[in-house]
Amino acid sequence: TEFKGEADSITQSFSDLFLALGVAIFLIYVLLVGFFKSYLEPFIILFAIPLGLVGVFAAVAITTGQLGFLELLGVVVMAGIVVNVTILLIDFANQLRRQGKTAAEAISTSVAVRLRPIVLTQLTAFGSLIPLVFLSPFWKGLAAAIIFGIASSAFFSLLLTPILYQWVDSFAQLPEKIRTIAIRLKKQV
């Protein structure tokens, strides 16, 4: 005999949701690798997701006080939304790099030029979700998780993406630097 109840159903729902989040992150990574033709730049973009979790935990603390199914569903939705900020920054910086700018110049210009579209995009997302926070007790946790997750991810991404972009650029240039040093040493010997 097998006994199943509501607790088993809830446990299965949470397991399915975590699996969905993992699959979503993997699919986002694969799509970004194809688009950017890089294995490292998608990691910069995906770094926006944990930055959004900071806001999700704040939203949970303020609203429902517990990380339930709807809040986790909000995390899955948020994961697809928050990568947009870093995609805008990285794509524009790469365009500037192709024009001959250094990594530092490209990413700083990208942040300056793309700041307004990023802020407007975030505000439209907030505007569409705020009614759910105030008018629907059922959807309050989900909407708050998405809003706070988007806000924290956007804020921290604007600060950390330039740093990560330059680190990845330095890491990508490392083999060339090593080769240059080896050639100099070989000439000296």
Side-chain angles (χ1 to χ4, degrees), residues 12 121 156:
Q12 184 62 39
T121 303
F156 290 123

Side-chain angles (χ1 to χ4, degrees), residues 72-100:
L72 286 176
L73 186 60
V75 170
V76 174
V77 171
M78 180 211 63
I81 296 171
V82 298
V83 295
N84 294 334
V85 170
T86 49
I87 288 172
L88 285 171
L89 294 176
I90 301 293
D91 183 50
F92 192 64
N94 286 344
Q95 290 174 22
L96 294 173
R97 291 294 305 272
R98 287 190 287 275
Q99 294 175 4

Side-chain angles (χ1 to χ4, degrees), residues 25-111:
I25 291 171
F26 176 75
L27 289 175
I28 291 169
Y29 177 77
V30 169
L31 289 171
L32 291 173
V33 166
F35 180 75
F36 286 104
K37 295 177 180 44
S38 166
Y39 292 106
L40 292 175
E41 286 180 353
F43 284 114
I44 300 171
I45 294 167
L46 290 175
F47 194 70
I49 296 171
L51 296 175
L53 292 177
V54 173
V56 170
F57 294 131
V60 167
I62 292 170
T63 58
T64 62
Q66 60 184 355
L67 189 62
F69 182 78
L70 289 176
E71 290 79 12
L72 286 176
L73 186 60
V75 170
V76 174
V77 171
M78 180 211 63
I81 296 171
V82 298
V83 295
N84 294 334
V85 170
T86 49
I87 288 172
L88 285 171
L89 294 176
I90 301 293
D91 183 50
F92 192 64
N94 286 344
Q95 290 174 22
L96 294 173
R97 291 294 305 272
R98 287 190 287 275
Q99 294 175 4
K101 293 195 177 215
T102 66
E105 292 170 334
I107 195 67
S108 62
T109 303
S110 178
V111 170

